Amino acid sequence: MLIPHPLLGLRDAQEFTYLGDAALLNRPDGMAEGAAEAFFDYAYLRDNPAGPHRELWFHEQGDRSWLVVTRDTVTHEILGAELARDVALAAKGGAQ
Amino acid sequence: MQFSGFRVIKEALTGHKGWKPLWRNPDPQPSYDYIIVGGGGHGLATAWNLARTFGAKRIAVLEKGWLGSGNIGRNTTIIRSNYMLPGNEPFYELSMKLWERMEQDLNFNAMVSQRGILNLAHTDAQRDAFRRRGNAMRFAGADSELLDQDGVRAMYPWLNFDNARFPIKGGLLQRRGGTARHDGVAWGYARAADRLGVDIIQNCEVTGFRIENGRLRGVETSRGFIGAGKVGVAVAGSSGRVMAKAGLRLPIESHVLQAFVSEGLKPVVDGVITFGAGHFYVSQSDKGGLVFGGDIDGYNSYAQRGNLPVIEDVIEGGMALMPAIGRARLLRAWGGIMDMSMDGSPIIDRTPIEGLYLNAGWCYGGFKATPASGLCFAHLLATDRPHETARFLRLDRFARGLVIDEKGMGAQPNLH
Ligand SMILES: Cc1cc2nc3c(=O)[nH]c(=O)nc-3n(C[C@H](O)[C@H](O)[C@H](O)COP(=O)(O)OP(=O)(O)OC[C@H]3O[C@@H](n4cnc5c(N)ncnc54)[C@H](O)[C@@H]3O)c2cc1C
């Protein structure tokens, strides 16, 4: 598989390590109400879809950036890749 | 039709004209007492146990494809009970005991072959860990032997003992471990269940669940609605997407594991050898092919096929351990989709929906579990209580901090 790195272009998936569902970017607040449940959900439960899946890949043998890659889990087709940093900042309401 | 030596000789002398199909091909009834979703090894073993051990009637197994087309027909057929943790070892040893009498129980030749499994050790620490594991196995009534380097040399003199990174220092041997014919296991359970009246319905995909006030009423299928008293789901790598139809999220990801077969060779590997440090394991089929595998591909997949990098990695592991393998040609490679549970251990439990039960999370090791999984899941379905040896395999163990991290790598997901 080739991953279209937003800065570096197509890179071999072998250069990356995989962490899993991109929902892991949204770490719950440990001090909030119901934090224990939120962390159980965060750490253990997965949507595990058959089809497009947003997931985290770390460019360990490259520029060491984290990417959010959208990939079809049925066909292995890669549908897009963004810098995880941009995704996280956008979720917080834009660059700071 | 009962199989026997007499029968085989009689058929041989009369042109094999008397053999019949091994199971019926019935249409679904409007409702059943028990529906098992998934016609793999676990589903079929569950149905057989429900009928035979618990005397249940009106049982159906629904399989979306043809029988045995899932992981039961895709795995590398290793059976063993060399686990360590109290939540696991007694369960796998029960399974081993059931393997030892399976062919008599089912009246079917599943080619169960106790050829021995040897886990190689490459460091002093690994050997100490194996000593501890071997002791834990013995506490649970299993057999184990710790071999030193000479002991391993006597069995397999052609292994690469002087590998610079992973010199072979010894190994843990379980002589009662071995292999079984994977398709034969599926066919044996299917035939035995069918003979007890279980309806095995192929090409019938479960597409949804009918749930009223938190109670399951039946399943929607590609062949219409089928009512059910209780439904047990045993769909191996599809657990995530099937249970999502009942509104449940599981501590499971689906991953692909590949396996490989070489061209047929003369007998060279008479047991099973595992090279944990290099992620490679190998046995030889009765047809002569070397059957081997290694790591999962490493990302969520439902593709039932893998990618080249892992093929390369597995074969490098093979070359490091047994350089002679480089002279053999690779005949086939394929992939199977497995549940990867967040602690690497299985789940046999009720779900929050009344009448819906789950058998899942077998990761890459569920073939050896087939007989015990069938017995324990049937016990749960029939009595609503967990079987003694499966009482740790709960669905809520993650929330309660009771994970079974067999690999001893800490209680966190991504162990796989
Ligand atoms: C390459 C590979 C090697 C392995 N090697 C070993 C090994 O050496 N030893 C070992 O112990 N384990 C091994 N395993 C693991 C083992 O094969 C599995 O854990 C085990 O087979 C799973 O149980 P099963 O047989 O019931 O699964 P399956 O045979 O996969 O049965 C599940 C069935 O459910 C059906 N299904 C799915 N969705 C639906 C639906 N919606 N409706 C109806 N039916 C549905 C599927 O079609 C399938 O037939 C290996 C796995 C793989 C992939």
Side-chain angles (χ1 to χ4, degrees):
Chain A
M1 293 192 308
L2 295 173
I3 294 181
H5 192 298
L7 305 176
L8 304 173
L10 283 180
R11 312 299 304 185
D12 195 315
Q14 281 295 92
E15 294 173 12
F16 294 79
T17 47
Y18 177 75
L19 184 66
D21 197 316
L24 293 174
L25 281 175
N26 312 318
R27 191 181 169 84
D29 174 1
M31 304 309 278
E33 271 303 288
E37 250 116 79
F39 266 100
F40 159 63
D41 193 302
Y42 175 80
Y44 294 117
L45 299 186
R46 296 290 183 271
D47 286 343
N48 197 21
H53 185 221
R54 278 160 57 82
E55 50 202 26
L56 290 165
W57 290 76
F58 177 48
H59 199 194
E60 190 172 19
Q61 291 176 50
D63 70 341
R64 304 187 72 75
S65 60
W66 281 94
L67 303 187
V68 172
V69 175
T70 308
R71 192 178 54 92
D72 190 316
T73 58
V74 178
T75 61
H76 293 166
E77 185 187 1
I78 299 201
L79 305 165
E82 305 156 86
L83 288 173
R85 183 175 172 278
D86 292 347
V87 174
L89 286 176
K92 280 190 194 141
Q96 293 174 339
Chain B
M1 177 182 63
Q2 186 80 2
F3 287 118
S4 65
F6 171 73
R7 183 73 206 244
V8 170
I9 292 167
K10 183 172 166 238
E11 289 297 335
L13 294 175
T14 54
H16 293 288
K17 295 205 183 74
W19 302 119
K20 299 258 156 36
L22 294 185
W23 52 85
R24 298 164 296 135
N25 210 2
D27 287 324
Q29 303 283 325
S31 79
Y32 290 92
D33 291 346
Y34 296 94
I35 286 181
I36 308 298
V37 186
H42 292 217
L44 294 165
T46 303
W48 177 73
N49 271 289
L50 272 172
R52 147 99 185 228
T53 313
F54 299 97
K57 302 266 184 296
R58 299 192 350 111
I59 307 163
V61 176
L62 308 183
E63 165 56 46
K64 76 168 176 196
W66 66 91
L67 198 149
S69 56
N71 286 341
I72 184 82
R74 290 168 182 266
N75 70 78
T76 43
T77 76
I78 300 168
I79 59 175
R80 56 185 173 89
S81 65
N82 53 4
Y83 283 70
M84 191 169 77
L85 298 182
N88 271 343
E89 177 57 18
F91 173 84
Y92 287 101
E93 178 52 23
L94 168 67
S95 209
M96 201 64 234
K97 293 206 167 77
L98 295 172
W99 281 109
E100 286 171 332
R101 45 178 261 217
M102 167 190 277
E103 292 167 332
Q104 288 72 26
D105 284 350
L106 302 181
N107 178 236
F108 199 87
N109 181 7
M111 293 164 72
V112 175
S113 163
Q114 294 181 291
R115 51 183 73 188
I117 177 165
L118 176 66
N119 304 139
L120 296 172
H122 308 276
T123 60
D124 293 343
Q126 207 180 3
R127 193 176 45 209
D128 290 349
F130 279 166
R131 174 172 288 132
R132 181 175 171 222
R133 176 176 298 266
N135 287 337
M137 289 162 64
R138 284 169 171 241
F139 275 130
D143 64 307
S144 69
E145 282 167 54
L146 196 65
L147 301 185
D148 59 11
Q149 199 197 55
D150 288 342
V152 176
R153 244 183 234 280
M155 291 181 76
Y156 300 113
W158 43 261
L159 287 175
N160 185 1
F161 285 85
D162 304 321
N163 183 307
R165 266 180 89 192
F166 301 117
I168 296 170
K169 299 221 163 185
L172 184 67
L173 176 66
Q174 185 180 30
R175 290 194 195 271
R176 284 165 62 244
T179 59
R181 171 87 162 93
H182 45 3
D183 297 320
V185 175
W187 299 333
Y189 276 116
R191 170 174 168 278
D194 178 85
R195 288 174 102 199
L196 295 175
V198 172
D199 280 359
I200 297 171
I201 299 161
Q202 302 181 75
N203 300 309
C204 180
E205 178 171 4
V206 169
T207 53
F209 296 93
R210 192 175 290 177
I211 300 163
E212 286 165 13
N213 303 323
R215 171 124 206 17
L216 195 74
R217 296 290 171 204
V219 292
E220 309 288 350
T221 79
S222 53
R223 297 176 67 174
F225 173 78
I226 308 177
K230 293 180 179 176
V231 175
V233 176
V235 293
S238 301
S239 302
R241 66 172 148 174
V242 171
M243 297 310 276
K245 296 181 203 296
L248 297 177
R249 284 173 86 219
L250 301 178
I252 283 175
E253 291 181 352
S254 296
H255 285 250
V256 61
L257 179 66
Q258 302 191 62
F260 311 88
V261 169
S262 78
E263 62 187 326
L265 304 170
K266 289 193 173 165
V268 49
V269 187
D270 61 1
V272 182
I273 307 172
T274 80
F275 172 36
H279 302 289
F280 177 80
Y281 61 90
V282 63
S283 65
Q284 190 166 11
S285 82
D286 295 333
K287 281 194 284 187
L290 296 177
V291 181
F292 57 95
D295 264 339
I296 58 176
D297 274 33
Y299 40 82
N300 292 38
S301 172
Y302 285 97
Q304 288 198 331
R305 64 176 170 79
N307 270 313
L308 273 172
V310 168
I311 301 186
E312 217 169 62
D313 185 60
V314 170
I315 288 171
E316 278 169 8
M319 287 293 289
L321 181 70
M322 41 189 294
I325 206 174
R327 306 294 291 271
R329 272 168 297 195
L330 190 64
L331 211 62
R332 281 195 300 279
W334 64 90
I337 302 304
M338 318 141 327
D339 288 353
M340 294 303 299
S341 65
M342 291 291 163
D343 61 356
S345 294
I347 296 160
I348 299 179
D349 204 355
R350 311 161 66 146
T351 70
I353 296 159
E354 210 191 318
L356 182 61
Y357 301 76
L358 180 65
N359 174 313
W362 294 99
C363 301
Y364 25 56
F367 178 64
K368 68 181 76 66
T370 305
S373 166
L375 174 64
C376 295
F377 199 36
H379 185 285
L380 178 72
L381 281 159
T383 67
D384 271 313
R385 281 179 292 112
H387 187 276
E388 172 70 15
T389 58
R391 65 189 191 280
F392 296 99
L393 309 181
R394 302 296 304 273
L395 180 55
D396 65 356
R397 65 175 183 263
F398 304 90
R400 297 172 60 214
L402 299 173
V403 290
I404 308 173
D405 54 333
E406 179 72 34
K407 280 199 166 179
M409 283 153 65
Q412 90 271 18
N414 280 309
L415 283 179
H416 32 286

